[in-house]
Amino acid sequence: MRLCAVVLVFLLGMPDLPSGQDQDGPVFNEVPAKTIKRLDEAVRRPDWKTIFDAYDAAHERQTDRLARDPNDPRRLLGFAEWIRTRILSIPGAEEAFRERYEGAAAAAFREARDTQDWAALERAGDRYYLTSGAADALDTVAHRRFAEGDAASAAMTWQKLLRRLEPDDALCPVIACRLAAAYAMLDDAEGLARLREMRITGRVLIGGRTRTAEEYLASLKVEAAGPPALPEPGWSLRPETRGWPTNEIPLGVCSLRADGGGRITGAARFHGVCVRRDGREIAIATTGRRLVAFDPGRGDGKSLNAGVFWRWPEAAPIRGEAAVQVAYGAVFGMAAADDLLVGTVLSDAAPPSNPRHPAFDGAARVVAVEVSTGRERWDTAKLRAVHRGRTVPVLETLPFGDREFAFAAPPAIWGGRVYLPVATHPTAEREVHVLCLDAATGRPLWSRFVAAGPPAAIATFPALTVDLRGLFVATNLGALMALDPLTGEPRWAASYPTTVMSSRFRQPSPPALAGGRLHVLAQDAPEFLVFDAVAGKRLPLAWNNRTDRGKPDWGRISGVTEVRPGVLIATGEEFWLLNLAEMKWNGLSRPTGATAAIAHPVRAGPYLYVPYRKPTTEGIAVYETGSWRLVANWDWGAAANAEVCVGDETLLLQGHDVRAFASAAALERRFAPRVEADPPIASACLRLALIFREAGRWPQALRAYERFILAAEGDPQWAAEVREARRWVDEVRRKP
């Protein structure tokens, strides 16, 4: 009897799959097949009441619903976009639309302007897009954002408006020129080139004089970085660094043991950041329980802990001294914009224990602090909202808030918003969601369900990419989705054939955008995937290489990263350079003995940094992105699959502790104002001498010690240090 009851509960808990949905593939939030059939009949008649009732539902109660493309069963559209397209296919649609919505649109526009609720004004402009005031509403929102310095959000709204205007609309050249100005502010050469290709004509008033749209677009200059050449066979290694961050000189180790470092066990990854503020570089590390900021320039070659100047939380790490086991893997990371730092950390309380499966513990809390001071701006654990008659933490009001969930990748900050991919327990719902927060307040702006998959023994870690072209989510459970970053409205979704995922935890590779195409290395697909970023259609891959010289084995590749426009690097157990303009690949030279890349590459200046593993050690390979030569590589010992962060002058290796490195040129440049002063500053001279001495750079250490002796001779507080400096200098000079 108990077994029957369990089976009954299980069956009642399973959602009905819409017609055409693959029960072995990802589950989307689709509009029921009977609703689609009823709407198809309404469009044929046409029955405007049925059509507009469904249109209202798509914008009010079913904003995250999808409708399947009848011509491509693996492709879906956002329900609002699907029904909008169907409306436009009906003769006389504009007149019927305006008759139904003109009054409601005018009231919505007026109320939003009176209250200066620009988000509501944009929603109204989207919803009532065929009414007479919609274009002006969207233009007002974009112009406001542009004036406030948010060129990215302004450009996205102008893009949307331009797509909806007819070519002969008098507003078309005006919007095109405003969009071009936003592209120029963003240094978006690709967007500007696409706009010029549209050949929009018309005259506009700019700067008090009338100009043609073509003339204005041609006058805007943005340097386009063309794809670099593929490496030629037989290049020679050149050990040069040109002052960019290397791990040539160790600055020291910042121990994080007192901050919870090492107390999260399992396959956890920690992503630090480097931020330049007020003329200095600040490094910020995370233990998943605490954020720690330090000045890498305060190292002495051994320790960096003297350079720590703030911690969050200040009193003690989250969950104190308790050890945390992450059974399914976890990712803790940060993102910075100006003086705002947003990071993901553990929640205060551990998930409840469950005898059927391990708890899904990980980053389930988001905090924002000031980079320069560590002062807290907001914390989702402290934000409250009313939900079902109770005041609860704000994340509990979201669709995934009552489940075991974790943020699956570091946050992304774009257009005044924070974007986070969310995964729920792999053996329970196994869902993927996307959360968008207001960067200023931490309040949720929207949350969207993306897809779900069948229960599995390993976690699904989604990844996302956001820019002017949209928000793209790779779920790693057989599904992709594109959304509007401003509203969260789904644009399209697609599924793909899957294979058995690796049993070991791997960080997801974010989708890479290049040339209007979305490139995805999915953890559950046997091959590299390419989709049209606008339409969501899968594109065939046609490489122009001879396969007898080898080709990428995608099962041995763990990450794909865009390093220049049109150029990707694929890393893992194999290293490949992918030139998408010519559709060619070429193998990259690896350091001798390196078996695999252990983390995603990082681009900084003219160099690409690729962490690697050898049988007994780990290290980093540095490639010059112009010639793609391997210019340098170093081993740094065992580092527990550490993540690499590269700043303007500093390279960070973040694991349970943090190691910092710099080039000799960068160090000398950083210390020059104090070491070369007249008289020199003793403390700076001594620190530089100790760093170079610890690194075995005796000529540089000797010169720094001489400057220190010059500055500190006769000062009682430096007497012991001067004696040690003289002893070391004499010893070095006696050596042959």
Side-chain angles (χ1 to χ4, degrees), residues 140-498:
T140 299
V141 172
H143 205 278
R144 178 90 181 184
R145 288 173 175 157
F146 188 80
E148 293 173 347
D150 185 3
S153 296
M156 178 154 284
T157 301
W158 276 323
Q159 282 177 166
K160 178 166 51 182
L161 177 55
L162 189 61
R163 284 195 300 268
R164 295 177 182 175
L165 293 174
E166 295 295 332
D168 58 352
D169 193 307
L171 194 57
C172 200
V174 176
I175 299 304
C177 290
R178 289 177 177 172
L179 177 57
Y183 283 150
M185 179 175 285
L186 296 165
D187 291 327
D188 187 350
E190 187 178 338
L192 199 54
R194 289 196 307 269
L195 195 55
R196 288 170 179 150
E197 289 171 0
M198 295 174 66
R199 301 190 181 282
I200 295 172
T201 60
R203 304 185 73 81
V204 293
L205 184 66
I206 299 175
R209 68 188 184 96
T210 302
R211 305 173 67 179
T212 66
E214 303 98 305
E215 176 191 357
Y216 179 71
L217 265 61
S219 71
L220 298 174
K221 304 297 181 185
V222 177
E223 289 296 325
L230 287 167
E232 298 296 329
W235 68 74
S236 59
L237 301 183
R238 295 184 295 128
E240 56 180 305
T241 59
R242 299 183 185 174
W244 284 88
T246 69
N247 67 337
E248 180 183 352
I249 307 295
L251 302 178
V253 177
C254 184
S255 174
L256 302 176
R257 302 294 162 170
D259 304 297
R263 291 191 172 274
I264 296 180
T265 58
R269 308 296 297 227
F270 306 92
H271 295 261
V273 295
C274 289
V275 184
R276 181 163 288 279
R277 293 293 297 171
D278 302 324
R280 66 170 175 170
E281 193 157 73
I282 299 172
I284 304 150
T286 178
T287 65
R289 313 161 75 117
R290 200 176 215 176
L291 310 182
V292 181
F294 62 94
D295 181 353
R298 296 289 303 276
D300 60 6
K302 294 182 179 180
S303 174
L304 290 163
N305 284 75
V308 173
F309 60 94
W310 63 254
R311 289 179 166 90
W312 183 96
E314 186 176 356
I318 296 169
R319 300 193 199 170
E321 297 296 316
V324 175
Q325 170 68 33
V326 289
Y328 300 97
V331 178
F332 300 94
M334 295 170 282
D338 297 324
D339 199 36
L340 177 72
L341 177 82
V342 179
T344 56
V345 293
L346 289 172
S347 57
D348 281 327
S353 59
N354 190 317
R356 294 179 296 172
H357 51 68
F360 187 42
D361 210 351
R365 175 179 179 183
V366 193
V367 61
V369 300
E370 292 179 358
V371 170
S372 51
T373 65
R375 185 178 70 86
E376 183 180 300
R377 293 265 190 96
W378 49 263
D379 178 0
T380 55
K382 300 175 183 177
L383 297 174
R384 294 290 188 269
V386 176
H387 182 59
R388 295 173 182 171
R390 296 188 305 119
T391 300
V392 298
V394 70
L395 294 186
E396 290 187 16
T397 67
L398 302 175
F400 56 84
D402 60 348
R403 303 168 189 172
E404 292 182 42
F405 71 89
F407 299 115
I413 302 176
W414 185 88
R417 297 164 177 81
V418 179
Y419 299 93
L420 297 129
V422 181
T424 65
H425 202 296
T427 64
E429 307 88 3
R430 200 181 176 215
E431 295 175 350
V432 170
H433 299 251
V434 178
L435 173 62
C436 176
L437 304 175
D438 184 332
T441 66
R443 292 281 176 184
L445 296 175
W446 52 262
S447 174
R448 290 290 178 267
F449 168 80
V450 178
I458 57 175
T460 297
F461 276 77
L464 59 79
T465 296
V466 59
D467 73 358
L468 281 173
R469 291 161 289 190
L471 173 63
F472 301 92
V473 185
T475 64
N476 290 305
L477 50 71
L480 304 171
M481 183 176 283
L483 305 98
D484 185 318
L486 304 182
T487 64
E489 180 182 308
R491 292 178 177 171
W492 57 261
S495 59
Y496 53 83
T498 61

Side-chain angles (χ1 to χ4, degrees), residues 235 237 569 571-575 588-598 608-615 617-623 629-636:
W235 68 74
L237 301 183
I569 185 171
T571 55
E573 296 174 47
E574 298 179 0
F575 287 23
L588 283 181
S589 176
R590 285 190 292 180
T592 303
T595 58
I598 56 175
L608 182 75
Y609 299 79
V610 184
Y612 62 75
R613 178 188 294 114
K614 291 184 177 181
T617 187
E618 295 175 4
I620 194 165
V622 185
Y623 295 89
R629 291 181 172 93
L630 175 64
V631 296
N633 65 272
W634 305 270
D635 297 342
W636 51 40

